[in-house]
Amino acid sequence: MSAFTRTSRTAFMLLSARSKNVSIKRGYADEMSFTFAAANQVFYNNANVKQVDVPSFSGSFGILPNHVPTLAVLKPGVVTVFEKDGNAKKIFVSSGTITINDDSSVQVLAEEAHPLEDLDGAAARDQLSKATSELSRATTDIEKAEAQIALEAAEALVQATA
């Protein structure tokens, strides 16, 4: 019997015996401390919620208690907060940051945020039209970048109010 076969057989037997004696349990936190604030309003301050769905530049994702610690950048879109009583609150954000800590606390800090029920679809479409024309008139790189950001926010606003 080769040395490799003996070594691999011994390693397999040790791992098999070890896995029989060890049970791994992952405890899930059933609470998540959630803070959500913008310059214009504090929406949640250390509130206990079930889940938060956020739009980020790396993709939209849901946050549950005991989520892996993460830092992300918000993109324009809708943050959905699932409260303990089952209600879902939808809030439009223009941009900001998401911080998920290892103690199951979550902070969403938005540049600007408004509940969906406060938004006007016609005004959003008007804003989209203005942003589109600003982009077509932009000549410098800075003007183009600013107009592109305004256009992306307006498109997300129109989608949120549709």
Side-chain angles (χ1 to χ4, degrees), residues 32 34 51-56 60-64 74 77-82 89-91 98 108:
M32 178 169 58
F34 180 61
Q51 178 179 337
V52 181
D53 293 343
V54 294
S56 80
S60 296
F61 62 97
I63 305 165
L64 293 167
L74 284 170
V78 177
V79 171
T80 305
V81 180
F82 297 92
K89 303 282 184 177
K90 295 183 180 240
I91 302 164
I98 307 150
V108 173

Side-chain angles (χ1 to χ4, degrees), residues 78 91-93 113-124 157 160-161:
V78 177
I91 302 164
F92 180 83
V93 294
H114 300 280
L116 280 189
E117 61 268 11
D118 293 350
L119 300 177
D120 179 9
L157 192 56
T161 58

Side-chain angles (χ1 to χ4, degrees), residues 32-112:
M32 178 169 58
S33 176
F34 180 61
T35 300
F36 181 4
N40 59 318
Q41 184 177 353
V42 174
F43 294 93
Y44 294 89
N45 187 8
N46 292 320
N48 185 14
V49 299
K50 287 183 180 179
Q51 178 179 337
V52 181
D53 293 343
V54 294
S56 80
F57 281 103
S58 57
S60 296
F61 62 97
I63 305 165
L64 293 167
N66 212 26
H67 192 285
V68 64
T70 305
L71 293 173
V73 178
L74 284 170
K75 73 174 190 176
V78 177
V79 171
T80 305
V81 180
F82 297 92
E83 298 176 337
K84 282 291 184 186
D85 62 5
N87 288 330
K89 303 282 184 177
K90 295 183 180 240
I91 302 164
F92 180 83
V93 294
S94 62
S95 62
T97 61
I98 307 150
T99 305
I100 306 169
N101 302 296
D102 58 2
D103 65 354
S104 282
S105 64
V106 177
Q107 294 81 36
V108 173
L109 303 174
E111 290 292 322
E112 193 171 349

Side-chain angles (χ1 to χ4, degrees), residues 120-140:
D120 179 9
R125 289 186 295 279
D126 184 50
Q127 186 66 29
L128 178 59
S129 176
K130 289 178 184 175
T132 302
S133 66
E134 283 179 20
L135 181 59
S136 66
R137 288 192 312 259
T139 56
T140 68

